[in-house]
Amino acid sequence: MATQKGIIRGGISIFFVTLLLFGFMRLNAEEQIDGNLPQISEEVQEEIKEAEFNAGEVIIGHIVDAYEWHIADWGNTHLTIPLPVILYDQGEWHLFMSSKFHHGKAAYKGFEISTEGMQKGKIVRKDANGDFVQPIDLSLTKNSLGVLIHSLLIILIFLSVSKAYRKRERKAPKGFQSLIEPLILFIRDDIARPSIGKKHYERFLPYLLTVFFFIFFNNLFGLIPIFPFGANVTGSIAVTGVLAFFTLIVTTFSGNKNYYAHIFNTPGVPWWLKIPLPLMPIIELVGVFTKPFVLMVRLFANITAGHTIILGFISLIFVFGQASLYAGYGMSVLSITMSIFINFLELLVAFIQAYVFTLLSAIFFGMAVEEHH
Amino acid sequence: MELVNPGLGLIFWMTLAFGIVIFILKKFAWPSIIQALKDREQHIEDALLAADRAHEEMKKLQIDNEALLRRAKEERDVIMADARKLRDKMLDETRQKANDEADRIVENAKVRIENEQKAAMVAIKNEIAKISIEIAEKILRQKMESTKEQKDYIEKLIEKSPLN
């Protein structure tokens, strides 16, 4: 109960803090515009255009990965944490801080952050022909750092829970342990055992538990907008892709004879669907890869959608505020109410998506180890 | 496009981080947690089974006790009935004996009374006879002054008296 209250309180505070951050940014920008309006020069006009609120850009900007960790804007001052950029290009390693790019406005050592096309947001280099090429980019981006921080927290949490189990042998769970235990039992008894079967489920349990808690905690941490949280980890396709890839690897390596026979020589299918044109094997083989692909897209899309809606509601305040200050104030009441509602929904989604990912992984493992019957 | 264009760096760091998380948790966290849960479940199951067994045993014991009690009651009833019968018999016998004794005593008394009566009659008869004789003597003495008269009278007496 106490934890639940804590989560709710956290959720509410998320909004006020977000609002405050946006509010400061907005107010300062507006003062600046008001002060500069009478004597407009070309340069200032450009600046105003930049300062004009573009909801789409703001939302995408908050969702996608970045080379720096943006915390707040204060007038023209950007409060950001620069992150290390690691590049391998033309047989050479380049290591420097992202502050060298001056928030994407400057190039450094010939590298710059692309602003358009397929490579938008990525570091590129102009080659001799004037084309932009991407170097091998292992930069510790915002989401990368987020993943590392969250992983560290998850490791610490579960090592302490594990210690509690060793210390309190045969006793009822206590403290954080009692928050985690129902989830562990849920995954064991309602996901792993029915999906994989009594004989094999224990082998996959550590992976399923890790995946579930990794996604669940990352989803929750992603909802907290204050550093060191707030990196949109599970809403980036690279992260969900890696998770799905792990599931694919585990499925592939634990598949038994029966599983592969089902793929390459599907029983109960007329022979002419297999020879001379291996239609069924191709379809089955594609199916092997679509399963994790769907896992990747589902988690990514759900988390991204939630964040987009919340940011959309917050942006509404500023869109209205641009028309009239009072409309902005009026809109803020509705926006915040709706954002709070969506945030509660997001808490639910955080759990459901972790559950779905784990359940489907378990079902795939169950297919891989299914005995012939 | 930016949204669904995965960065190589993020893929690299994510693989590294998730790999480390899996490795550490699988090695240091999950085994003890899963084992502890299993142990506790086993412990609870055992305890429940033991409680069930104890309950069953108690029930059996109770049934035994009831049977014992019932047998004891039956035995008591039998003993009581026997005692009652014995008592009645004894009472009857005693009463019979008492009656017999009383009868005997009364009979004895009757016999004795009869004897006494007979004895008394004999005594009275003797006395009367003695007295009569004395009287007769006296009368005779008076009357029988003469020998002749004496003789007559004696003859009369002898004639009258039944000779036995």
Side-chain angles (χ1 to χ4, degrees):
Chain A
M1 214 38 219
T3 340
Q4 211 177 347
K5 264 187 203 159
I7 290 171
I8 292 165
R9 225 179 295 136
I12 292 168
S13 62
I14 287 166
F15 282 102
F16 285 109
V17 172
T18 320
L19 184 79
L20 230 63
L21 290 179
F22 273 97
F24 280 130
M25 178 179 88
R26 205 49 234 137
L27 278 174
N28 280 290
E30 228 157 5
E31 270 166 24
Q32 207 182 4
I33 293 165
D34 288 348
N36 286 343
L37 266 179
Q39 59 269 34
I40 301 172
S41 67
E42 286 274 310
E43 212 177 304
V44 175
Q45 232 169 2
E46 194 70 21
E47 231 172 75
I48 290 169
K49 217 176 178 183
E50 254 178 47
E52 224 166 83
F53 188 77
N54 184 335
E57 259 177 33
V58 167
I59 292 169
I60 293 294
H62 276 81
I63 287 172
V64 296
D65 206 357
Y67 288 100
E68 56 189 12
W69 198 310
H70 173 254
I71 292 174
D73 286 334
W74 196 283
N76 272 341
T77 324
H78 302 283
L79 180 55
T80 53
I81 297 170
L83 299 170
V85 173
I86 305 162
L87 301 171
Y88 183 76
D89 191 39
Q90 295 172 319
E92 229 183 307
W93 286 99
H94 301 275
L95 176 67
F96 53 93
M97 296 307 281
S98 66
S99 51
K100 294 280 197 297
F101 288 128
H102 294 285
H103 313 298
K105 288 190 187 103
Y108 181 75
K109 283 189 183 172
F111 298 110
E112 57 186 291
I113 298 174
S114 174
T115 52
E116 56 203 6
M118 283 290 290
Q119 301 162 327
K120 190 180 177 195
K122 302 275 185 299
I123 290 177
V124 290
R125 182 178 53 80
K126 215 177 207 166
D127 69 1
N129 303 328
D131 295 329
F132 288 108
V133 289
Q134 264 184 277
I136 293 174
D137 179 1
L138 297 180
S139 307
L140 190 73
T141 54
K142 180 185 172 189
N143 285 351
S144 310
L145 184 61
V147 165
L148 293 181
I149 292 169
H150 298 174
S151 299
L152 188 69
L153 275 172
I154 290 166
I155 287 171
L156 290 179
I157 286 171
F158 283 97
L159 286 183
S160 92
V161 168
S162 159
K163 205 168 128 196
Y165 272 104
R166 275 197 298 271
K167 254 192 190 164
R168 301 175 47 77
E169 206 183 344
R170 285 184 174 181
K171 281 187 195 145
K174 202 177 162 191
F176 205 73
Q177 192 190 358
S178 50
L179 179 75
I180 298 296
E181 181 165 320
L183 293 173
I184 294 176
L185 291 177
F186 172 67
I187 292 159
R188 192 190 63 179
D189 298 340
D190 293 322
I191 296 178
R193 199 179 297 158
S195 310
I196 302 172
K198 265 194 177 127
K199 202 171 151 194
H200 297 288
Y201 82 95
E202 279 183 359
R203 190 145 55 96
F204 298 104
L205 202 50
Y207 176 75
L208 291 173
L209 286 168
T210 312
V211 160
F212 177 83
F213 285 109
F214 190 85
I215 296 174
F216 186 44
F217 279 123
N218 272 308
N219 286 349
L220 290 181
F221 293 156
L223 285 174
I224 306 171
I226 313 154
F227 183 83
F229 305 107
N232 182 21
V233 168
T234 39
S236 34
I237 202 144
V239 169
T240 61
V242 169
L243 286 168
F245 183 70
F246 270 87
T247 293
L248 173 68
I249 292 288
V250 174
T251 316
T252 307
F253 281 103
S254 51
N256 58 15
K257 209 169 63 186
N258 193 27
Y259 172 73
Y260 285 109
H262 200 91
I263 291 171
F264 295 111
N265 186 15
T266 319
V269 172
W271 63 266
W272 47 267
L273 279 177
K274 300 171 193 167
I275 296 166
L277 187 69
L279 209 56
M280 276 313 285
I282 288 172
I283 290 170
E284 287 284 344
L285 205 60
V286 169
V288 167
F289 295 100
T290 51
K291 281 174 204 157
F293 184 79
V294 168
L295 280 184
M296 166 180 86
V297 173
R298 181 184 294 108
L299 180 58
F300 159 74
N302 271 286
I303 302 305
T304 305
H307 285 217
T308 309
I309 294 169
I310 290 174
L311 288 165
F313 276 119
I314 301 291
S315 299
L316 263 181
I317 300 173
F318 303 106
V319 170
F320 274 71
Q322 220 146 34
S324 135
L325 194 61
Y326 298 105
Y329 285 136
M331 196 59 208
S332 68
V333 178
L334 187 67
S335 275
I336 287 169
T337 315
M338 290 309 288
S339 319
I340 289 171
F341 169 68
I342 297 294
N343 226 288
F344 280 121
L345 207 66
E346 277 293 278
L347 289 176
L348 197 66
V349 168
F351 176 79
I352 291 171
Q353 288 310 315
Y355 165 65
V356 168
F357 196 104
T358 315
L359 178 68
L360 289 174
S361 295
I363 288 171
F364 299 156
F365 300 157
M367 285 166 147
V369 297
E370 196 177 17
E371 304 288 329
H372 189 70
H373 52 80
Chain B
M1 215 51 228
E2 204 181 348
L3 207 55
V4 289
N5 188 5
L8 187 66
L10 183 51
I11 292 174
F12 169 75
W13 292 107
M14 169 64 193
T15 312
L16 188 73
F18 189 60
I20 290 170
V21 170
I22 286 190
F23 177 76
I24 290 181
L25 293 191
K26 198 173 175 177
K27 195 146 187 160
F28 301 109
W30 299 129
S32 56
I33 291 175
I34 292 168
Q35 195 54 45
L37 282 173
K38 224 192 237 169
D39 280 355
R40 194 190 320 141
E41 269 159 19
Q42 192 61 47
H43 181 64
I44 290 169
E45 206 181 305
D46 287 351
L48 284 176
L49 272 177
D52 263 3
R53 259 205 305 276
H55 188 71
E56 206 74 10
E57 240 155 69
M58 223 164 73
K59 232 187 206 164
K60 224 160 63 189
L61 225 66
Q62 214 167 359
I63 289 168
D64 283 0
N65 278 353
E66 264 167 26
L68 219 67
L69 207 67
R70 211 172 40 242
R71 244 196 343 258
K73 260 187 198 160
E74 274 166 12
E75 226 159 279
R76 188 199 61 185
D77 285 352
V78 168
I79 289 169
M80 285 291 278
D82 280 358
R84 210 171 283 131
K85 239 186 265 165
L86 200 70
R87 186 197 61 185
D88 287 352
K89 208 171 125 198
M90 268 164 75
L91 267 175
D92 276 354
E93 269 174 14
T94 317
R95 202 175 289 132
Q96 195 62 43
K97 237 188 225 163
N99 279 350
D100 288 357
E101 186 70 17
D103 285 355
R104 204 174 53 80
I105 290 169
V106 169
E107 205 62 38
N108 277 357
K110 263 186 194 160
V111 169
R112 204 177 290 165
I113 286 167
E114 228 163 79
N115 288 350
E116 294 289 329
Q117 224 173 1
K118 273 182 190 160
M121 285 300 260
V122 169
I124 288 168
K125 268 182 192 165
N126 287 348
E127 204 62 31
I128 290 169
K130 218 157 88 193
I131 294 166
S132 307
I133 290 167
E134 272 172 19
I135 292 167
E137 216 178 64
K138 272 172 192 165
I139 295 167
L140 281 174
R141 217 163 264 160
Q142 266 181 342
K143 268 184 175 175
M144 306 293 160
E145 300 240 286
S146 65
T147 326
K148 196 213 166 223
E149 272 177 9
Q150 280 176 358
K151 222 175 180 178
D152 287 348
Y153 188 70
I154 288 166
E155 272 169 15
K156 213 182 11 183
L157 270 180
I158 290 165
E159 255 168 58
K160 264 186 195 170
S161 70
L163 285 169
N164 50 354

PDB file of all heavy atoms in Angstrom, chain A residues 213-238:
ATOM      1  N   PHE A 213      11.674  -7.905 -15.287  1.00  0.00           N
ATOM      2  CA  PHE A 213      12.011  -6.806 -14.382  1.00  0.00           C
ATOM      3  C   PHE A 213      12.806  -5.728 -15.107  1.00  0.00           C
ATOM      4  O   PHE A 213      12.657  -4.543 -14.795  1.00  0.00           O
ATOM      5  CB  PHE A 213      12.761  -7.322 -13.156  1.00  0.00           C
ATOM      6  CG  PHE A 213      11.839  -8.025 -12.200  1.00  0.00           C
ATOM      7  CD1 PHE A 213      11.878  -9.385 -12.034  1.00  0.00           C
ATOM      8  CD2 PHE A 213      10.891  -7.306 -11.485  1.00  0.00           C
ATOM      9  CE1 PHE A 213      11.018 -10.029 -11.172  1.00  0.00           C
ATOM     10  CE2 PHE A 213      10.019  -7.935 -10.618  1.00  0.00           C
ATOM     11  CZ  PHE A 213      10.087  -9.293 -10.454  1.00  0.00           C
ATOM     12  N   PHE A 214      13.612  -6.110 -16.067  1.00  0.00           N
ATOM     13  CA  PHE A 214      14.377  -5.122 -16.837  1.00  0.00           C
ATOM     14  C   PHE A 214      13.408  -4.196 -17.568  1.00  0.00           C
ATOM     15  O   PHE A 214      13.514  -2.973 -17.484  1.00  0.00           O
ATOM     16  CB  PHE A 214      15.297  -5.838 -17.837  1.00  0.00           C
ATOM     17  CG  PHE A 214      16.279  -4.937 -18.503  1.00  0.00           C
ATOM     18  CD1 PHE A 214      17.478  -4.639 -17.886  1.00  0.00           C
ATOM     19  CD2 PHE A 214      15.998  -4.365 -19.733  1.00  0.00           C
ATOM     20  CE1 PHE A 214      18.394  -3.797 -18.489  1.00  0.00           C
ATOM     21  CE2 PHE A 214      16.905  -3.517 -20.342  1.00  0.00           C
ATOM     22  CZ  PHE A 214      18.110  -3.239 -19.714  1.00  0.00           C
ATOM     23  N   ILE A 215      12.433  -4.771 -18.251  1.00  0.00           N
ATOM     24  CA  ILE A 215      11.481  -3.941 -18.999  1.00  0.00           C
ATOM     25  C   ILE A 215      10.611  -3.137 -18.046  1.00  0.00           C
ATOM     26  O   ILE A 215      10.403  -1.933 -18.218  1.00  0.00           O
ATOM     27  CB  ILE A 215      10.607  -4.821 -19.917  1.00  0.00           C
ATOM     28  CG1 ILE A 215      11.459  -5.495 -20.973  1.00  0.00           C
ATOM     29  CG2 ILE A 215       9.511  -3.988 -20.586  1.00  0.00           C
ATOM     30  CD1 ILE A 215      10.715  -6.489 -21.818  1.00  0.00           C
ATOM     31  N   PHE A 216      10.120  -3.817 -16.999  1.00  0.00           N
ATOM     32  CA  PHE A 216       9.209  -3.151 -16.062  1.00  0.00           C
ATOM     33  C   PHE A 216       9.889  -1.951 -15.400  1.00  0.00           C
ATOM     34  O   PHE A 216       9.348  -0.845 -15.385  1.00  0.00           O
ATOM     35  CB  PHE A 216       8.755  -4.176 -15.021  1.00  0.00           C
ATOM     36  CG  PHE A 216       7.718  -3.673 -14.074  1.00  0.00           C
ATOM     37  CD1 PHE A 216       6.638  -2.935 -14.534  1.00  0.00           C
ATOM     38  CD2 PHE A 216       7.806  -3.935 -12.732  1.00  0.00           C
ATOM     39  CE1 PHE A 216       5.672  -2.474 -13.663  1.00  0.00           C
ATOM     40  CE2 PHE A 216       6.838  -3.477 -11.849  1.00  0.00           C
ATOM     41  CZ  PHE A 216       5.779  -2.749 -12.323  1.00  0.00           C
ATOM     42  N   PHE A 217      11.089  -2.152 -14.890  1.00  0.00           N
ATOM     43  CA  PHE A 217      11.769  -1.057 -14.199  1.00  0.00           C
ATOM     44  C   PHE A 217      12.175   0.027 -15.183  1.00  0.00           C
ATOM     45  O   PHE A 217      12.087   1.211 -14.864  1.00  0.00           O
ATOM     46  CB  PHE A 217      12.989  -1.568 -13.429  1.00  0.00           C
ATOM     47  CG  PHE A 217      12.606  -2.176 -12.104  1.00  0.00           C
ATOM     48  CD1 PHE A 217      12.941  -3.469 -11.783  1.00  0.00           C
ATOM     49  CD2 PHE A 217      11.883  -1.435 -11.183  1.00  0.00           C
ATOM     50  CE1 PHE A 217      12.570  -4.025 -10.572  1.00  0.00           C
ATOM     51  CE2 PHE A 217      11.506  -1.985  -9.974  1.00  0.00           C
ATOM     52  CZ  PHE A 217      11.853  -3.279  -9.664  1.00  0.00           C
ATOM     53  N   ASN A 218      12.606  -0.349 -16.369  1.00  0.00           N
ATOM     54  CA  ASN A 218      12.967   0.666 -17.351  1.00  0.00           C
ATOM     55  C   ASN A 218      11.753   1.481 -17.766  1.00  0.00           C
ATOM     56  O   ASN A 218      11.848   2.696 -17.958  1.00  0.00           O
ATOM     57  CB  ASN A 218      13.621   0.018 -18.572  1.00  0.00           C
ATOM     58  CG  ASN A 218      15.113  -0.135 -18.388  1.00  0.00           C
ATOM     59  OD1 ASN A 218      15.796   0.821 -18.055  1.00  0.00           O
ATOM     60  ND2 ASN A 218      15.609  -1.337 -18.551  1.00  0.00           N
ATOM     61  N   ASN A 219      10.605   0.820 -17.884  1.00  0.00           N
ATOM     62  CA  ASN A 219       9.370   1.546 -18.198  1.00  0.00           C
ATOM     63  C   ASN A 219       9.057   2.550 -17.101  1.00  0.00           C
ATOM     64  O   ASN A 219       8.707   3.700 -17.376  1.00  0.00           O
ATOM     65  CB  ASN A 219       8.201   0.574 -18.317  1.00  0.00           C
ATOM     66  CG  ASN A 219       8.239  -0.230 -19.600  1.00  0.00           C
ATOM     67  OD1 ASN A 219       9.022   0.083 -20.490  1.00  0.00           O
ATOM     68  ND2 ASN A 219       7.405  -1.244 -19.685  1.00  0.00           N
ATOM     69  N   LEU A 220       9.177   2.083 -15.841  1.00  0.00           N
ATOM     70  CA  LEU A 220       8.851   2.971 -14.716  1.00  0.00           C
ATOM     71  C   LEU A 220       9.857   4.121 -14.627  1.00  0.00           C
ATOM     72  O   LEU A 220       9.472   5.281 -14.482  1.00  0.00           O
ATOM     73  CB  LEU A 220       8.842   2.179 -13.412  1.00  0.00           C
ATOM     74  CG  LEU A 220       7.698   1.187 -13.250  1.00  0.00           C
ATOM     75  CD1 LEU A 220       7.802   0.486 -11.909  1.00  0.00           C
ATOM     76  CD2 LEU A 220       6.349   1.874 -13.358  1.00  0.00           C
ATOM     77  N   PHE A 221      11.140   3.776 -14.743  1.00  0.00           N
ATOM     78  CA  PHE A 221      12.167   4.833 -14.658  1.00  0.00           C
ATOM     79  C   PHE A 221      11.981   5.843 -15.789  1.00  0.00           C
ATOM     80  O   PHE A 221      12.239   7.022 -15.615  1.00  0.00           O
ATOM     81  CB  PHE A 221      13.573   4.233 -14.734  1.00  0.00           C
ATOM     82  CG  PHE A 221      13.935   3.380 -13.546  1.00  0.00           C
ATOM     83  CD1 PHE A 221      14.901   2.385 -13.646  1.00  0.00           C
ATOM     84  CD2 PHE A 221      13.314   3.574 -12.325  1.00  0.00           C
ATOM     85  CE1 PHE A 221      15.228   1.605 -12.550  1.00  0.00           C
ATOM     86  CE2 PHE A 221      13.638   2.795 -11.225  1.00  0.00           C
ATOM     87  CZ  PHE A 221      14.596   1.801 -11.338  1.00  0.00           C
ATOM     88  N   GLY A 222      11.531   5.362 -16.939  1.00  0.00           N
ATOM     89  CA  GLY A 222      11.317   6.239 -18.082  1.00  0.00           C
ATOM     90  C   GLY A 222      10.212   7.254 -17.843  1.00  0.00           C
ATOM     91  O   GLY A 222      10.134   8.267 -18.523  1.00  0.00           O
ATOM     92  N   LEU A 223       9.351   6.951 -16.848  1.00  0.00           N
ATOM     93  CA  LEU A 223       8.254   7.880 -16.567  1.00  0.00           C
ATOM     94  C   LEU A 223       8.684   9.000 -15.627  1.00  0.00           C
ATOM     95  O   LEU A 223       7.994   9.993 -15.488  1.00  0.00           O
ATOM     96  CB  LEU A 223       7.085   7.119 -15.922  1.00  0.00           C
ATOM     97  CG  LEU A 223       6.259   6.240 -16.860  1.00  0.00           C
ATOM     98  CD1 LEU A 223       5.255   5.440 -16.074  1.00  0.00           C
ATOM     99  CD2 LEU A 223       5.551   7.100 -17.883  1.00  0.00           C
ATOM    100  N   ILE A 224       9.824   8.811 -14.980  1.00  0.00           N
ATOM    101  CA  ILE A 224      10.307   9.845 -14.050  1.00  0.00           C
ATOM    102  C   ILE A 224      11.116  10.849 -14.857  1.00  0.00           C
ATOM    103  O   ILE A 224      12.113  10.467 -15.480  1.00  0.00           O
ATOM    104  CB  ILE A 224      11.178   9.208 -12.949  1.00  0.00           C
ATOM    105  CG1 ILE A 224      10.408   8.077 -12.265  1.00  0.00           C
ATOM    106  CG2 ILE A 224      11.638  10.260 -11.959  1.00  0.00           C
ATOM    107  CD1 ILE A 224      11.255   7.254 -11.317  1.00  0.00           C
ATOM    108  N   PRO A 225      10.701  12.113 -14.908  1.00  0.00           N
ATOM    109  CA  PRO A 225      11.365  13.029 -15.843  1.00  0.00           C
ATOM    110  C   PRO A 225      12.643  13.671 -15.320  1.00  0.00           C
ATOM    111  O   PRO A 225      13.234  14.475 -16.016  1.00  0.00           O
ATOM    112  CB  PRO A 225      10.285  14.087 -16.074  1.00  0.00           C
ATOM    113  CG  PRO A 225       9.506  14.101 -14.823  1.00  0.00           C
ATOM    114  CD  PRO A 225       9.579  12.743 -14.211  1.00  0.00           C
ATOM    115  N   ILE A 226      13.073  13.331 -14.106  1.00  0.00           N
ATOM    116  CA  ILE A 226      14.221  14.041 -13.548  1.00  0.00           C
ATOM    117  C   ILE A 226      15.473  13.190 -13.668  1.00  0.00           C
ATOM    118  O   ILE A 226      15.418  11.979 -13.474  1.00  0.00           O
ATOM    119  CB  ILE A 226      13.961  14.351 -12.060  1.00  0.00           C
ATOM    120  CG1 ILE A 226      12.551  14.929 -11.890  1.00  0.00           C
ATOM    121  CG2 ILE A 226      14.990  15.332 -11.530  1.00  0.00           C
ATOM    122  CD1 ILE A 226      11.980  14.696 -10.535  1.00  0.00           C
ATOM    123  N   PHE A 227      16.590  13.844 -13.976  1.00  0.00           N
ATOM    124  CA  PHE A 227      17.869  13.157 -14.023  1.00  0.00           C
ATOM    125  C   PHE A 227      18.112  12.482 -12.697  1.00  0.00           C
ATOM    126  O   PHE A 227      17.803  13.054 -11.678  1.00  0.00           O
ATOM    127  CB  PHE A 227      18.989  14.177 -14.326  1.00  0.00           C
ATOM    128  CG  PHE A 227      20.331  13.551 -14.456  1.00  0.00           C
ATOM    129  CD1 PHE A 227      20.723  12.981 -15.650  1.00  0.00           C
ATOM    130  CD2 PHE A 227      21.199  13.518 -13.367  1.00  0.00           C
ATOM    131  CE1 PHE A 227      21.972  12.392 -15.763  1.00  0.00           C
ATOM    132  CE2 PHE A 227      22.440  12.932 -13.494  1.00  0.00           C
ATOM    133  CZ  PHE A 227      22.829  12.372 -14.679  1.00  0.00           C
ATOM    134  N   PRO A 228      18.609  11.263 -12.581  1.00  0.00           N
ATOM    135  CA  PRO A 228      19.188  10.434 -13.635  1.00  0.00           C
ATOM    136  C   PRO A 228      18.170   9.540 -14.345  1.00  0.00           C
ATOM    137  O   PRO A 228      18.564   8.656 -15.066  1.00  0.00           O
ATOM    138  CB  PRO A 228      20.191   9.580 -12.871  1.00  0.00           C
ATOM    139  CG  PRO A 228      19.577   9.404 -11.522  1.00  0.00           C
ATOM    140  CD  PRO A 228      18.772  10.651 -11.268  1.00  0.00           C
ATOM    141  N   PHE A 229      16.914   9.757 -14.111  1.00  0.00           N
ATOM    142  CA  PHE A 229      15.919   8.989 -14.865  1.00  0.00           C
ATOM    143  C   PHE A 229      15.444   9.812 -16.050  1.00  0.00           C
ATOM    144  O   PHE A 229      15.989  10.877 -16.319  1.00  0.00           O
ATOM    145  CB  PHE A 229      14.740   8.606 -13.967  1.00  0.00           C
ATOM    146  CG  PHE A 229      15.163   7.874 -12.740  1.00  0.00           C
ATOM    147  CD1 PHE A 229      15.129   8.478 -11.501  1.00  0.00           C
ATOM    148  CD2 PHE A 229      15.648   6.578 -12.838  1.00  0.00           C
ATOM    149  CE1 PHE A 229      15.546   7.803 -10.380  1.00  0.00           C
ATOM    150  CE2 PHE A 229      16.067   5.903 -11.722  1.00  0.00           C
ATOM    151  CZ  PHE A 229      16.014   6.514 -10.487  1.00  0.00           C
ATOM    152  N   GLY A 230      14.396   9.344 -16.701  1.00  0.00           N
ATOM    153  CA  GLY A 230      13.813  10.147 -17.775  1.00  0.00           C
ATOM    154  C   GLY A 230      14.359   9.825 -19.145  1.00  0.00           C
ATOM    155  O   GLY A 230      13.851  10.317 -20.130  1.00  0.00           O
ATOM    156  N   ALA A 231      15.399   8.976 -19.213  1.00  0.00           N
ATOM    157  CA  ALA A 231      15.827   8.531 -20.538  1.00  0.00           C
ATOM    158  C   ALA A 231      14.747   7.584 -21.049  1.00  0.00           C
ATOM    159  O   ALA A 231      14.290   6.713 -20.338  1.00  0.00           O
ATOM    160  CB  ALA A 231      17.162   7.810 -20.440  1.00  0.00           C
ATOM    161  N   ASN A 232      14.340   7.802 -22.287  1.00  0.00           N
ATOM    162  CA  ASN A 232      13.243   7.010 -22.858  1.00  0.00           C
ATOM    163  C   ASN A 232      13.798   5.684 -23.376  1.00  0.00           C
ATOM    164  O   ASN A 232      13.873   5.443 -24.564  1.00  0.00           O
ATOM    165  CB  ASN A 232      12.596   7.815 -23.982  1.00  0.00           C
ATOM    166  CG  ASN A 232      11.432   7.083 -24.590  1.00  0.00           C
ATOM    167  OD1 ASN A 232      10.867   6.198 -23.966  1.00  0.00           O
ATOM    168  ND2 ASN A 232      11.092   7.442 -25.813  1.00  0.00           N
ATOM    169  N   VAL A 233      14.174   4.847 -22.398  1.00  0.00           N
ATOM    170  CA  VAL A 233      14.948   3.656 -22.751  1.00  0.00           C
ATOM    171  C   VAL A 233      14.119   2.635 -23.518  1.00  0.00           C
ATOM    172  O   VAL A 233      14.472   2.232 -24.626  1.00  0.00           O
ATOM    173  CB  VAL A 233      15.547   3.021 -21.474  1.00  0.00           C
ATOM    174  CG1 VAL A 233      16.107   1.649 -21.778  1.00  0.00           C
ATOM    175  CG2 VAL A 233      16.624   3.919 -20.917  1.00  0.00           C
ATOM    176  N   THR A 234      12.989   2.225 -22.929  1.00  0.00           N
ATOM    177  CA  THR A 234      12.202   1.177 -23.592  1.00  0.00           C
ATOM    178  C   THR A 234      11.396   1.733 -24.755  1.00  0.00           C
ATOM    179  O   THR A 234      10.750   0.990 -25.466  1.00  0.00           O
ATOM    180  CB  THR A 234      11.258   0.485 -22.592  1.00  0.00           C
ATOM    181  OG1 THR A 234      10.734   1.478 -21.718  1.00  0.00           O
ATOM    182  CG2 THR A 234      11.982  -0.567 -21.800  1.00  0.00           C
ATOM    183  N   GLY A 235      11.445   3.045 -24.954  1.00  0.00           N
ATOM    184  CA  GLY A 235      10.781   3.651 -26.104  1.00  0.00           C
ATOM    185  C   GLY A 235      11.757   3.876 -27.244  1.00  0.00           C
ATOM    186  O   GLY A 235      11.465   4.641 -28.152  1.00  0.00           O
ATOM    187  N   SER A 236      12.942   3.256 -27.169  1.00  0.00           N
ATOM    188  CA  SER A 236      13.837   3.364 -28.326  1.00  0.00           C
ATOM    189  C   SER A 236      13.968   1.983 -28.945  1.00  0.00           C
ATOM    190  O   SER A 236      14.109   0.981 -28.266  1.00  0.00           O
ATOM    191  CB  SER A 236      15.202   3.916 -27.926  1.00  0.00           C
ATOM    192  OG  SER A 236      15.552   3.484 -26.656  1.00  0.00           O
ATOM    193  N   ILE A 237      13.907   2.000 -30.256  1.00  0.00           N
ATOM    194  CA  ILE A 237      13.813   0.731 -30.984  1.00  0.00           C
ATOM    195  C   ILE A 237      15.076  -0.104 -30.846  1.00  0.00           C
ATOM    196  O   ILE A 237      15.028  -1.335 -30.902  1.00  0.00           O
ATOM    197  CB  ILE A 237      13.448   1.001 -32.462  1.00  0.00           C
ATOM    198  CG1 ILE A 237      12.826  -0.265 -33.066  1.00  0.00           C
ATOM    199  CG2 ILE A 237      14.645   1.453 -33.251  1.00  0.00           C
ATOM    200  CD1 ILE A 237      11.736   0.028 -34.034  1.00  0.00           C
ATOM    201  N   ALA A 238      16.203   0.541 -30.586  1.00  0.00           N
ATOM    202  CA  ALA A 238      17.455  -0.214 -30.417  1.00  0.00           C
ATOM    203  C   ALA A 238      17.367  -1.091 -29.173  1.00  0.00           C
ATOM    204  O   ALA A 238      17.758  -2.262 -29.187  1.00  0.00           O
ATOM    205  CB  ALA A 238      18.628   0.755 -30.298  1.00  0.00           C
TER     206      ALA A 238
END
